[in-house]
Amino acid sequence: MKRLVAAAAVVVALYVYLALLSPRVFDVLIYDESKLMPPDIEPKAVDAILNKTQVGGLKSIPVVIFGPGVEEKARNLSRLFPNVTSAWSILDTALKIYRERLDKVVENATASFREGAEKIANSTQKICEDLNRLVEGYREARERARQLLLGTYGVAALGRAVDNQTQKFLELYRKYVAAYDVDAAVRLAADETYGNVSQYLAGVTWKNWASLEAVENVTEAILATRLNKTMIDIARAAAAVGVRQYLYIRLINQTPPLVGPYLPYLICGGDVEKAVEMFKFDLIRNLTAQYPPPTIYSIATAAELVYQDKYALAVVKSSEEMPDVPPQLGVPVSTSFLLKSFTQVVTE
């Protein structure tokens, strides 16, 4: 039992570790544009972008995207110009970082949980094997008690035998009942017929022999020759609810709350893979609830490049003076390009 509690403590320690680690693991959600944007671009405002100088032979050309389907147009623009920077390219980068860090945390945590889960499963497997043997012995004793009551008080009450042994008992009982009370006659006849069994009938009388209480009393008397009172009580309780349920009830109050939901899947060897699967699902759900995936509007840098989902600003890097941006995707914003782009839009 101590090893089981220690294994559960491993899982709890894992959660504590995650709680302490999570602010650093998910600090990507507090975005620093210098980590997500090229070093020569500052997308805080259109003016800042327009004022950037040429870097590394490439010039940053702002492109205004408008109309319905702004995101689709921005992504199509990215296919034409892979080095384009837009709200969605920033989001994609942030999501990639988020998923990589989330996957790493979940992978490490799941591996640690699996180790603790296997220890719990292995520890309880031996306990369950012992309990199963105990329950089997209890049920055998209970059946023996039932047969003894039927073969003594039952035969006396019915006044008829069912085999040679009960016939012998009935004859002896009729002899003794003429001189003794019913209970004494039953015990004397039982000892001569079935051996030294009257000790098991000590708590039984003619008035209660057909009750469940009598069966339990005789069962306990039979088991008392091999087990102490505590073990008999355990056997009775485990037989009543089943070994797995009994062990779960015994352990749940000693199990840390964080481990409790997975305990039914681990006891008696259990299904470790199922418990691990549940743990992983719950961990991802809890982490993403506390640290939701980024969106365009949760990243200040990206949010400044979109206006009411109707307009967006992208930055294309090009060595050409006039990058060939299809007018249906966007319009380059430059004093040298604007007039020509506008003319193309109008004439087409």
Side-chain angles (χ1 to χ4, degrees):
M1 194 70 72
K2 291 182 178 179
R3 287 183 298 173
L4 178 61
V5 174
V10 171
V11 180
V12 175
L14 172 62
Y15 269 95
V16 173
Y17 169 75
L18 288 175
L20 296 174
L21 182 66
S22 56
R24 290 186 288 114
V25 170
F26 291 95
D27 61 0
V28 67
L29 299 180
I30 305 174
Y31 291 98
D32 179 351
E33 64 188 41
S34 65
K35 296 179 181 178
L36 300 176
M37 298 289 290
D40 59 321
I41 296 177
E42 297 178 4
K44 289 187 176 180
V46 175
D47 290 341
I49 297 176
L50 292 176
N51 291 331
K52 291 306 292 181
T53 59
Q54 184 171 335
V55 177
L58 297 177
K59 190 171 183 179
S60 298
I61 310 297
V63 176
V64 175
I65 305 170
F66 55 89
V70 172
E71 178 181 353
E72 181 181 359
K73 292 178 180 179
R75 293 194 178 280
N76 287 335
L77 186 64
S78 296
R79 295 185 181 95
L80 292 177
F81 301 94
N83 60 4
V84 70
T85 298
S86 68
W88 290 275
S89 68
I90 296 172
L91 176 62
D92 290 345
T93 301
L95 283 172
K96 182 175 182 293
I97 297 172
Y98 177 91
R99 288 170 184 145
E100 287 175 352
R101 296 193 177 187
L102 179 66
D103 289 346
K104 184 176 181 180
V105 170
V106 171
E107 180 182 352
N108 292 338
T110 302
S112 297
F113 176 83
R114 180 187 296 277
E115 182 180 352
E118 288 175 348
K119 289 180 179 178
I120 294 174
N122 292 336
S123 297
T124 57
Q125 178 66 40
K126 180 61 170 61
I127 296 174
C128 289
E129 290 173 358
D130 293 340
L131 283 174
N132 279 323
R133 285 192 291 270
L134 193 62
V135 167
E136 183 180 355
Y138 171 83
R139 288 174 176 164
E140 290 176 356
R142 200 171 192 278
E143 178 59 22
R144 184 181 169 190
R146 192 180 70 85
Q147 292 295 337
L148 180 59
L149 288 169
L150 290 175
T152 54
Y153 281 97
V155 170
L158 184 63
R160 187 172 60 189
V162 295
D163 55 26
N164 292 336
Q165 199 169 30
T166 53
Q167 180 63 41
K168 177 182 177 181
F169 169 83
L170 186 58
E171 292 172 357
L172 290 169
Y173 168 74
R174 286 171 175 169
K175 181 180 73 171
Y176 288 125
V177 79
Y180 302 95
D181 62 50
V182 172
D183 294 321
V186 167
R187 286 167 174 71
L188 290 170
D191 281 343
E192 290 190 37
T193 304
Y194 305 114
N196 186 24
V197 295
S198 61
Q199 58 180 321
Y200 305 139
L201 299 172
V204 182
T205 68
W206 180 256
K207 294 181 179 180
N208 70 1
W209 74 269
S211 66
L212 289 177
E213 179 186 2
V215 175
E216 287 299 330
N217 287 340
V218 175
T219 300
E220 185 169 336
I222 293 172
L223 290 173
T225 60
R226 295 175 293 163
L227 303 174
N228 59 34
K229 183 67 166 61
T230 299
M231 296 301 293
I232 293 173
D233 289 341
I234 291 175
R236 181 185 293 112
V241 299
V243 168
R244 288 178 62 88
Q245 183 66 12
Y246 171 79
L247 188 58
Y248 173 78
I249 294 171
R250 287 292 301 271
L251 293 178
I252 191 61
N253 291 332
Q254 306 173 43
T255 303
L258 291 172
V259 184
Y262 315 108
L263 187 60
Y265 299 92
L266 298 176
I267 55 177
C268 298
D271 188 345
V272 173
E273 291 304 319
K274 179 65 175 179
V276 170
E277 179 184 345
M278 289 180 59
F279 169 82
K280 185 175 182 180
F281 176 83
D282 292 341
L283 180 61
I284 293 174
R285 181 190 60 193
N286 293 336
L287 288 177
T288 53
Q290 187 172 1
Y291 303 96
T295 66
I296 285 179
Y297 297 104
S298 69
I299 309 172
T301 301
E304 290 173 350
L305 298 180
V306 180
Y307 178 71
Q308 294 184 350
D309 293 329
K310 296 179 180 179
Y311 301 93
L313 185 66
V315 179
V316 174
K317 283 188 175 183
S318 176
S319 58
E320 303 175 7
E321 285 295 323
M322 184 185 298
D324 187 14
V325 178
Q328 66 270 24
L329 297 183
V331 177
V333 180
S334 170
T335 53
S336 59
F337 302 153
L338 187 56
L339 181 58
K340 184 170 183 178
S341 297
F342 177 75
T343 303
Q344 288 178 341
V345 172
V346 172
T347 56
E348 293 180 7

